[in-house]
Amino acid sequence: MAPVPRRPLSIDHAQRVRSLWTAWFLCLLFHTDLGLMPLFHGLSPEIESHVATERLPLVFWAMLLYFLVPLGAYVLSSYASSAPGWRRWRWFQFGLSVVYTLTNTAHFVVDILIPDSRSDQVLLMAVMLVLGLLINVESWRWCQTKSSWQI
């Protein structure tokens, strides 16, 4: 009996990117939730702030934007993987993932340098950093793949 020829393995990098973003989002939400956890035990979660009270709305808007941009990237990756003319968004996705990896790296380093930082938060930031690096890798691979959806 002749061996059956195997079809080359087709990896869905877009699906991997979306899965990694989902994991990253869950970690981000848990990072926020974990930061508030002391409230449930009668402790203050307050961190010494160097931001003037009148500037806090700007900080809150920046945090909201930091949440919403990758959410938009997640949605765009769904379109980019399923419709013609979206190949250039793969590169946008890759660039965005690099920017977020850099910001996560900075946040991770700051968390390590804070003398009284919580080890659970540092570990969670390390996980987010690893997920971000995986998003970088999969986004890069997705940019390099040829598909039937060309510009």
Side-chain angles (χ1 to χ4, degrees):
M1 214 180 223
V4 178
R6 290 186 171 194
R7 247 181 69 197
L9 180 63
S10 176
I11 297 173
D12 187 351
H13 295 288
Q15 179 60 42
R16 287 181 175 185
V17 167
R18 288 190 303 274
S19 296
L20 289 165
W21 272 122
T22 299
W24 187 88
F25 273 118
L26 289 172
C27 285
L28 182 63
L29 290 172
F30 192 63
H31 178 61
T32 304
D33 190 43
L34 194 58
L36 296 174
M37 209 46 82
L39 282 175
F40 300 108
H41 299 281
L43 302 172
S44 173
E46 187 175 356
I47 299 168
E48 186 180 336
S49 177
H50 300 286
V51 178
T53 305
E54 61 273 2
R55 295 202 52 191
L56 283 178
L58 180 63
V59 171
F60 297 151
W61 277 105
M63 288 174 66
L64 179 62
L65 188 62
Y66 193 82
F67 279 96
L68 291 178
V69 169
L71 186 61
Y74 178 93
V75 172
L76 285 174
S77 71
S78 296
Y79 281 89
S81 68
S82 63
W86 284 80
R87 186 171 174 83
R88 66 185 160 270
W89 287 103
R90 294 179 186 187
W91 289 101
F92 170 78
Q93 167 72 42
F94 173 69
L96 184 66
S97 71
V98 169
V99 168
Y100 270 71
T101 297
L102 293 173
T103 61
N104 283 333
T105 301
H107 188 28
F108 179 65
V109 168
V110 167
D111 277 355
I112 289 173
L113 295 177
I114 294 174
D116 60 344
S117 65
R118 291 178 30 201
S119 58
D120 54 339
Q121 290 284 48
V122 173
L123 176 62
L124 193 51
M125 278 309 303
V127 171
M128 289 181 68
L129 185 56
V130 168
L131 287 169
L133 292 169
L134 290 171
I135 294 169
N136 294 158
V137 169
E138 286 304 323
S139 294
W140 176 256
R141 289 177 180 163
W142 187 26
C143 288
Q144 302 305 309
T145 60
K146 302 287 185 217
S147 72
S148 57
W149 304 115
Q150 299 292 324
I151 295 178

